[in-house]
Amino acid sequence: MAEARNGGAVIAAALQRAGVGHLFTLCGGHISPILVESKRLGLRVVDMRDEANAVFAADAMARLTGRPGVAAVTAGPGVTNAVTALENARLAQSPVVLLGGATATLLRGRGALQDIDQLALMRPIAKWATRVTTVGGLRPTLERALALAQGGVPGPVFVEVPVDLLYDEPLVRDLYRRESGADRVGGVAGTAMRLYLEAHLARQFRAPALPSLEDLPARLAERLDLRRGTSGGVGRIAARLARAERPVLILGSQALAGCEDPARLAAAVRALGVPVYLGGMARGLLGRRDALQFRHARGRALKEADVVVVAGFPFDFRLGYGRGFGRGAFIGAANLSAAELRKNRSPDVAVEMHPGEFLVALAAKAGKPQAREAWFGALREREAARDREIAAGAEAAGELVNPLRFLLRLEEKMADDAALVVDGGDFVATAAYTLRPRAPLAWLDPGVFGTLGVGGGFATAAALARPGREVWLLYGDGSCAYSLAEFDTFARHGLAPIAVIGNDGSWQQIAREQVDMLGDDVGTVLARCDYHRVAEGYGGVGLLLTEDGRIDEVLDRAREAARAGRPVCINVHLRRSEFRKGSISM
């Protein structure tokens, strides 16, 4: 059977064959055939209110399903609006394929509407940024893009698709003739113009073009499946771990990348019997409460540890740029990226392989774990002391809502299968100390880029990927303005996340340092806006909470509305808190 000549149908079929179930987008004339044909083939086309949010949604869908997330945006401003979200996916090592519309091949560089050099923007960000120039090149290019997004160190890929590849050939031929005026030009010049147009059309629609291998960066010539850690490296780490008196395991998002069986990974971590700190998408791997999992005083534990195993977590600012360990500690690390393995410091043993597979192999070699009662006892006492401080802070009375009291009540009210999306500064950082993810792949934060604005897109994907489960979206009042309009998307697509806006009338994360260091709050003050009414205007349920005594009532009303299929926005007017006094966000 001959492949469809309509490029939109070719792209839709390629996505369907790859098992892509959702296409996130904001409509535009340059990409309309992709949307129409995707819908015709049964893909769910989810139209967002901002291109960045469409890419954020694709990013979250990739993290939650292990398959590439796909977004399509129109040319020019559509592509430039997506840049921040794509860079967020790159730093989070999330497999995203972005389809960017573009002006017609014949008009590129001639001043057409929304025509810019999109590849120049995307090449520094994407693992691969390429332009398709023939209909025959669409299928192999999409197949390669989907494979590259997932292969090796996962990351985003950008494919530019000119508009004249997407429509039927007769329509494009008519467009070319009308735009060029070839039919009105006589003589030799007219004949030459018409011949050129026919030759160009023949190449576009009939040439069996393949993607150029020369367009691939050299680093992508390496294998797509990077699971080649040597047994020697794993064995050396296992031997040191067996002799350790004060070991610590640090687990990052990369360990869950493409993980088809989180339970297998969790079993390996438990078999190691080592105190573990979970970060990023690894949060929730061991459930809500596990005797091996610790959340507080990580820095002190790393300073005291004699063996630290870092799996899928780079030596970046979160680990003191590799200097956050005690002198003489043995450091073993596993990472998909050779560069990240040795960035800022070289571990004693570096294993270049998938961190999840590394942990399974490590557990198989490590043998029965030691009891290490004194070490566990010291860590548990610190954990309990910090939890007591938080509980005491939650009891403080005053005007408006105590953020610690609210978050502790939310922790008790959330369903056992709830998913958490976090998008904010001070309020979200406070939540990280108080809320416990319930299960693997049930915590979505921006990642190392620290991007504000992920909330609407992430919550859309979470609600689609986890139908029937509670989805809680925690916003700061600063971050909510980036994507509050996605309540319209929630309502139109029958999604019912519950957004909680921690409203303290401030960019508090910045104000904490700026006011203390510089003595001025300029640029950090916000009004306590009626965000719940904005959500109502977009079709959601809006709830206002201004006193501690109504916390349970409002949370119960929100959950009831969400179960009825309505998206909910709780506008929580917070009192000022000293809980995170002294925090710095640089």
Side-chain angles (χ1 to χ4, degrees):
M1 181 178 175
E3 190 165 28
R5 293 294 88 192
N6 178 321
V10 175
I11 291 173
L15 297 177
Q16 183 190 53
R17 282 191 299 272
V20 174
H22 300 84
L23 177 64
F24 299 97
T25 191
L26 194 157
C27 66
H30 290 93
I31 58 170
S32 291
I34 299 174
L35 311 186
V36 171
E37 295 294 342
S38 293
K39 177 185 175 183
R40 186 179 64 81
L41 288 185
L43 277 73
R44 184 161 181 177
V45 178
V46 184
D47 51 316
M48 312 288 291
R49 296 303 300 267
D50 185 278
E51 286 91 356
N53 293 333
V55 178
F56 284 135
D59 176 352
M61 185 61 73
R63 301 189 201 189
L64 292 169
T65 65
R67 295 186 298 273
V70 182
V73 299
T74 198
V79 170
T80 59
N81 283 347
V83 167
T84 296
L86 209 68
E87 176 66 3
N88 192 77
R90 183 184 76 83
L91 291 174
Q93 299 177 347
S94 186
V96 170
V97 174
L98 177 61
L99 304 174
T103 193
T105 55
L106 201 63
L107 299 176
R108 185 162 58 88
R110 299 188 180 189
L113 176 67
Q114 298 178 336
D115 180 26
I116 61 171
D117 187 354
Q118 298 178 154
L119 294 188
L121 289 173
M122 291 300 177
R123 281 189 175 118
I125 299 173
K127 289 179 70 175
W128 184 39
T130 191
R131 174 184 296 122
V132 187
T133 58
T134 67
V135 174
L138 287 170
R139 174 176 175 172
T141 300
L142 260 292
E143 290 172 347
R144 179 173 290 274
L146 290 161
L148 287 175
Q150 277 190 294
V153 180
V157 171
F158 175 73
V159 179
E160 181 180 280
V161 186
V163 65
D164 52 339
L165 301 188
L166 299 178
Y167 286 88
D168 294 330
E169 183 178 356
L171 191 152
V172 175
R173 173 176 278 102
D174 181 62
L175 174 66
Y176 274 11
R177 286 175 174 168
R178 284 189 288 107
E179 290 294 318
S180 67
D183 290 340
R184 298 189 298 274
V185 179
V188 175
T191 300
M193 185 181 295
R194 287 187 288 274
L195 288 173
Y196 173 78
L197 292 177
E198 287 298 328
H200 187 83
L201 285 163
R203 176 181 177 276
Q204 279 184 284
F205 284 91
R206 294 178 180 79
L210 296 175
S212 171
L213 295 181
E214 296 176 357
D215 202 20
L216 289 174
R219 67 181 183 275
L220 292 179
E222 62 193 34
R223 73 203 78 20
L224 296 181
D225 187 17
L226 191 57
R227 299 174 185 264
R228 61 186 178 90
T230 62
S231 59
V234 176
R236 288 172 62 194
I237 295 174
R240 291 301 299 263
L241 200 57
R243 302 195 301 271
E245 295 180 359
R246 299 180 306 281
V248 169
L249 173 61
I250 302 292
L251 196 59
S253 294
Q254 202 185 76
L256 274 292
C259 184
E260 297 178 357
D261 187 3
R264 175 171 173 258
L265 178 57
V269 172
R270 292 190 175 103
L272 289 169
V274 173
V276 59
Y277 290 87
L278 303 174
M281 288 295 291
R283 288 172 177 262
L285 176 66
L286 301 181
R288 186 180 178 190
R289 298 180 187 276
D290 191 283
L292 295 177
Q293 180 178 330
F294 295 87
R295 301 181 303 140
H296 305 312
R298 184 179 72 183
R300 184 176 174 185
L302 292 179
K303 285 290 187 183
E304 296 176 356
D306 56 359
V307 172
V308 180
V309 179
V310 183
F313 206 117
F315 298 113
D316 59 16
F317 67 94
R318 294 167 293 179
L319 292 180
Y321 302 99
R323 299 189 301 274
F325 308 103
R327 181 172 296 181
F330 171 89
I331 311 299
N335 202 290
L336 283 167
S337 167
E340 284 194 357
L341 268 174
R342 295 172 176 84
K343 188 173 184 178
N344 296 317
R345 76 164 294 156
S346 292
D348 296 287
V349 177
V351 181
E352 188 181 350
M353 70 182 293
H354 192 286
E357 295 299 318
F358 160 79
L359 289 167
V360 172
L362 185 66
K365 287 181 175 291
K368 185 177 180 179
Q370 300 179 33
R372 302 184 177 101
E373 293 178 2
W375 180 229
F376 271 103
L379 296 179
R380 285 171 182 151
E381 175 52 37
R382 294 172 199 168
E383 194 86 357
R386 184 56 164 156
D387 283 339
R388 287 193 295 270
E389 288 179 11
I390 292 170
E395 292 301 316
E399 294 184 356
L400 302 179
V401 177
N402 180 327
L404 288 173
R405 182 179 298 184
F406 175 84
L407 289 166
L408 288 179
R409 291 309 302 149
L410 176 59
E411 165 64 19
E412 296 305 317
K413 289 283 187 180
M414 282 192 303
D416 290 339
D417 63 354
L420 277 162
V421 174
V422 297
D423 179 14
D426 195 71
F427 180 61
V428 164
T430 302
Y433 287 95
T434 52
L435 301 182
R436 299 173 183 266
R438 271 48 177 162
L441 302 176
W443 172 278
L444 281 166
D445 62 31
V448 68
F449 202 25
T451 312
L452 289 185
V454 303
F458 276 22
T460 298
L464 290 165
R466 303 287 189 262
R469 288 173 56 175
E470 279 186 5
V471 175
W472 291 84
L473 165 55
L474 300 189
Y475 274 131
D477 54 339
S479 63
C480 78
Y482 286 94
S483 65
L484 195 57
E486 298 305 338
F487 260 81
D488 171 68
T489 302
F490 303 155
R492 285 185 294 107
H493 287 273
L495 309 176
I498 304 171
V500 175
I501 300 176
N503 188 348
D504 56 12
S506 172
W507 295 93
Q508 188 63 19
Q509 176 80 0
I510 307 304
R512 285 193 187 279
E513 68 195 58
Q514 181 175 310
V515 173
D516 285 350
M517 295 169 65
L518 302 175
D520 198 321
D521 64 3
V522 60
T524 69
V525 179
L526 296 171
R528 290 187 189 267
C529 296
D530 288 341
Y531 299 111
H532 58 295
R533 296 191 185 278
V534 176
E536 286 178 346
Y538 281 121
V541 174
L543 301 174
L544 178 64
L545 177 60
T546 60
E547 56 186 283
D548 288 337
R550 295 185 59 242
I551 292 176
D552 283 9
E553 171 202 339
V554 170
L555 289 175
D556 289 342
R557 287 179 60 192
R559 296 183 69 204
E560 181 180 359
R563 284 193 294 268
R566 299 285 304 280
V568 182
C569 175
I570 309 175
N571 186 2
V572 186
H573 284 208
L574 301 176
R575 75 179 69 135
R576 297 299 168 90
S577 166
E578 298 301 313
F579 178 69
R580 299 188 65 251
K581 184 177 177 60
S583 66
I584 296 178
S585 58
M586 291 185 290

